[in-house]
Amino acid sequence: MVYGGAALLVLGAAPVQAAEEHAEGLTTDAPVLWNIDLPFWPGHSLPISNSLVMFCLAVVVLTILLRLATRKMARIPGKLQNFVEWVFECLYNFVESLTGPYLAKKYFWYFASIFLLILVSNYMGLIPGVGEITYEDKPLLRGANADLGVTVFLGFFYALLWFIWSIAEQGPWHFLKHIFGPKGGLVGVLKYLLMPIFFFVGIIELISIAVRPVALAARLFGNIYAGEAIMEKMGEINFLAVMPFMALEIVVAFVQALVFLMLTALFLSTQVGSQEEEEEKPQTTA
């Protein structure tokens, strides 16, 4: 995911002019900087917004950092390698505590990637000067997760992966049985008498599943956008007025990345099964 996102950076060189004061402030929609024509879809283009530019820059920063840390692996690691190994060890232990060893081993790549990508994107949006440099009277950079389009993509991309992984781990029949089937190990007549109730609960569960990507997107966008908007308004008053909010946003940026990781891990673990059941499953290819 991290390396694949770098391909979006082929945008071409463009002149950048000095910033001017923007009366509008931070808008809810991210301005489009370029429109790249799609040769395989005549009459349509790919809009490149300033938030997408920041998202791609976060991919580049992560890629460079990880390459520098792992290009010369040593038994006695240097400071950077040791720090990166510590970060991934902490992340793996956290994911394993949420999903169990089986799911953590198979899908840790996603949970680590999405956490680091959201975290780096959040912190890059707090760098002084972001939003001040303009291109054709539009801010060249913008906090990636302050754009609802980016967070919607993250939410629905996970929903697609969740569906694929759940089917791969359970099979179509057990996937539906987990949603609509009787719970609690009921047997006999009672099991069949309560089946209409469990079917109704399954309908509610389907609605909950459909709402999850929207909730993930809205939660991340709302917290990051609100923080950046407040800091922009405080900055218009006095530079020192921004500092308390900057300190708060540093914490919020980390918490929101952690919450996204935690919720996505729990959604998968809840659907596929408990940690004990996962440990007993034979390893299959997703």
Side-chain angles (χ1 to χ4, degrees):
M1 178 178 177
V2 172
Y3 294 109
L8 296 173
L9 288 174
V10 187
L11 304 177
V16 177
Q17 64 186 44
E20 296 178 356
E21 184 177 354
H22 307 291
E24 307 146 349
L26 185 67
T27 57
T28 54
D29 57 326
V32 175
L33 303 176
W34 300 280
N35 281 288
I36 300 178
D37 293 331
L38 301 175
F40 54 85
W41 197 356
H44 293 80
S45 60
L46 175 65
I48 305 297
S49 65
N50 55 5
S51 59
L52 181 57
V53 172
M54 183 68 91
F55 191 76
C56 294
L57 286 176
V59 173
V60 172
V61 169
L62 273 175
T63 302
I64 293 174
L65 177 63
L66 295 177
R67 290 297 256 175
L68 289 175
T70 59
R71 63 177 179 172
K72 292 182 179 179
M73 299 289 286
R75 288 184 176 273
I76 302 178
K79 292 182 180 180
L80 183 58
Q81 179 185 335
N82 189 55
F83 173 74
V84 169
E85 289 180 353
W86 173 76
V87 169
F88 275 88
E89 182 180 358
C90 291
L91 280 176
Y92 188 88
N93 291 335
F94 182 66
V95 172
E96 188 178 55
S97 69
L98 297 172
T99 66
Y102 176 77
L103 292 179
K105 186 175 182 180
K106 291 190 69 174
Y107 305 116
F108 174 71
W109 63 268
Y110 167 79
F111 296 116
S113 296
I114 199 63
F115 171 80
L116 292 174
L117 191 53
I118 291 176
L119 182 66
V120 172
S121 298
N122 289 347
Y123 282 150
M124 289 179 65
L126 299 178
I127 296 175
V130 170
E132 297 300 319
I133 301 174
T134 63
Y135 169 79
E136 295 184 350
D137 296 326
K138 300 175 183 177
L140 181 63
L141 299 174
R142 170 196 177 108
N145 296 315
D147 177 11
L148 187 59
V150 172
T151 61
V152 166
F153 165 76
L154 295 178
F156 280 88
F157 181 70
Y158 170 75
L160 176 62
L161 290 179
W162 175 89
F163 180 76
I164 294 173
W165 292 341
S166 297
I167 296 294
E169 296 295 333
Q170 297 179 300
W173 169 247
H174 286 285
F175 175 79
L176 294 174
K177 184 179 178 182
H178 184 273
I179 296 175
F180 295 101
K183 311 294 192 297
L186 296 175
V187 295
V189 178
L190 185 60
K191 171 183 175 180
Y192 295 100
L193 289 175
L194 294 179
M195 283 185 69
I197 296 177
F198 285 115
F199 181 80
F200 177 74
V201 172
I203 297 296
I204 298 176
E205 178 67 14
L206 283 181
I207 297 173
S208 172
I209 291 171
V211 169
R212 285 174 187 174
V214 179
L216 287 171
R219 179 185 291 105
L220 181 58
F221 165 75
N223 283 278
I224 301 305
Y225 175 81
E228 292 191 12
I230 290 174
M231 286 195 300
E232 183 175 357
K233 291 301 181 183
M234 291 296 104
E236 295 174 0
I237 300 174
N238 188 288
F239 174 75
L240 294 178
V242 180
M243 302 310 293
F245 294 96
M246 174 69 77
L248 178 61
E249 284 306 303
I250 290 174
V251 177
V252 171
F254 176 80
V255 169
Q256 289 306 310
L258 193 65
V259 167
F260 198 98
L261 163 65
M262 182 175 65
L263 290 178
T264 51
L266 288 175
F267 289 156
L268 182 62
S269 177
T270 301
Q271 177 64 32
V272 172
S274 64
Q275 295 184 18
E276 292 77 11
E277 291 171 340
E278 290 159 10
E279 292 172 2
E280 295 172 0
K281 289 181 182 178
Q283 301 235 349
T284 56
T285 303

